[in-house]
Amino acid sequence: MYAKYIKRPMDFILSLLAIIVLSPVMAVTALLIKIKLGSPVIFKQKRPGKDEKIFKMYKFRSMTDERDENGNLLPDEYRLTKFGKLLRKTSLDELPELFNILKGDMSIVGPRPLLVEYLPRYNETQRRRHEVRPGLSGLAQVNGRNAISWEEKFNWDVTYVDNITFIGDLKIILLTVWKAFVKEEGISAEGYATVGKFTGSREKEEANG
């Protein structure tokens, strides 16, 4: 009942209210990004949503455009400044996704929208994460975020898909706020400025081998 009839209208109302209330914060953040990192202020990237439908996700820019002598972007650890790390640590870079939620591309709670290039790398179970709208935060984000393995993340995603409740969503929202502003854990994977790319699960590699 909640997942089918209540979750989407609630997402719309809450995202609209959040955009109104947080508009001064977003305006100041955008100005600081313009000054410290330059243009564009908004980072746009195609991501797969519900039923693997591709949409354009919005985030505040958190990296520079520094490139090597061949014109290729430098690795994340070189382009992620102290200011960019602060944006990610506080999740301020995620605020423009409220417009994705308003549009219906995303939900407040759900599996995080990942790269389009990962689609052929999922096994059948992992692919189930696309049965619902991707979220601003989800079970994986409050259970380790970038500090856990890809397989663990996907297990949490599928667990969420099978157990969507109002109380569960409320707990995830509260835990997200707690971890972002109080505990500040799981911001990056060990050895990475953010997180390493998903190259496929061992189970799928063995099946294809």
Side-chain angles (χ1 to χ4, degrees):
M1 175 95 174
Y2 166 72
K4 191 172 183 180
Y5 298 108
I6 301 174
K7 187 173 169 69
R8 173 56 195 154
M10 188 175 75
D11 280 338
F12 180 87
I13 293 169
L14 292 180
S15 62
L16 180 60
L17 289 174
I19 289 169
I20 295 170
V21 172
L22 296 173
S23 56
V25 176
M26 288 193 279
V28 171
T29 302
L31 179 61
L32 290 174
I33 292 171
K34 176 72 173 177
I35 294 170
K36 293 178 176 292
L37 300 176
S39 297
V41 169
I42 299 294
F43 171 76
K44 302 175 184 178
Q45 190 174 56
K46 290 182 179 180
R47 299 287 176 99
K50 187 177 185 297
D51 301 322
E52 300 183 4
K53 181 181 178 181
I54 307 300
F55 70 97
K56 192 171 289 185
M57 188 183 78
Y58 312 124
K59 294 180 72 172
F60 277 130
R61 178 182 182 179
S62 60
M63 292 188 188
T64 66
D65 282 332
E66 291 181 85
R67 299 174 182 268
D68 61 22
E69 62 274 11
N70 298 315
N72 300 313
L73 285 172
L74 293 176
D76 289 358
E77 56 266 30
Y78 294 104
R79 298 188 295 119
L80 188 59
T81 64
K82 287 184 179 180
F83 177 65
K85 289 178 181 178
L86 177 64
L87 290 177
R88 293 194 175 201
K89 184 172 70 173
T90 57
S91 295
L92 286 172
D93 63 319
E94 310 281 0
L95 288 181
E97 291 169 43
L98 289 168
F99 291 96
N100 287 120
I101 297 171
L102 193 68
K103 289 169 57 183
D105 299 324
M106 293 176 60
S107 178
I108 292 174
V109 179
R112 284 294 296 161
L114 301 176
L115 299 177
V116 174
E117 67 187 76
Y118 293 172
L119 285 175
R121 302 174 190 173
Y122 297 130
N123 60 35
E124 289 306 309
T125 300
Q126 293 165 350
R127 191 175 295 278
R128 292 195 58 223
R129 68 193 309 278
H130 296 292
E131 291 178 10
V132 299
R133 286 185 178 87
L136 192 63
S137 185
L139 266 183
Q141 280 60 54
V142 298
N143 284 283
R145 198 173 172 182
N146 289 331
I148 59 177
S149 70
W150 283 110
E151 283 71 21
E152 289 174 299
K153 288 182 186 180
F154 298 146
N155 287 340
W156 283 118
D157 290 342
V158 175
T159 297
Y160 176 77
V161 170
D162 291 332
N163 299 277
I164 300 175
T165 65
F166 172 74
I167 296 299
D169 278 6
L170 182 60
K171 286 180 179 178
I172 290 171
I173 292 169
L174 294 176
L175 279 171
T176 299
V177 174
W178 167 261
K179 289 178 180 287
F181 295 100
V182 181
K183 235 180 171 185
E184 298 180 359
E185 63 180 17
I187 297 166
S188 62
E190 186 176 353
Y192 293 91
T194 50
V195 64
K197 284 196 173 186
F198 174 61
T199 56
S201 295
R202 182 178 301 174
E203 294 85 353
K204 182 160 185 175
E205 290 172 0
E206 290 174 350
N208 292 339

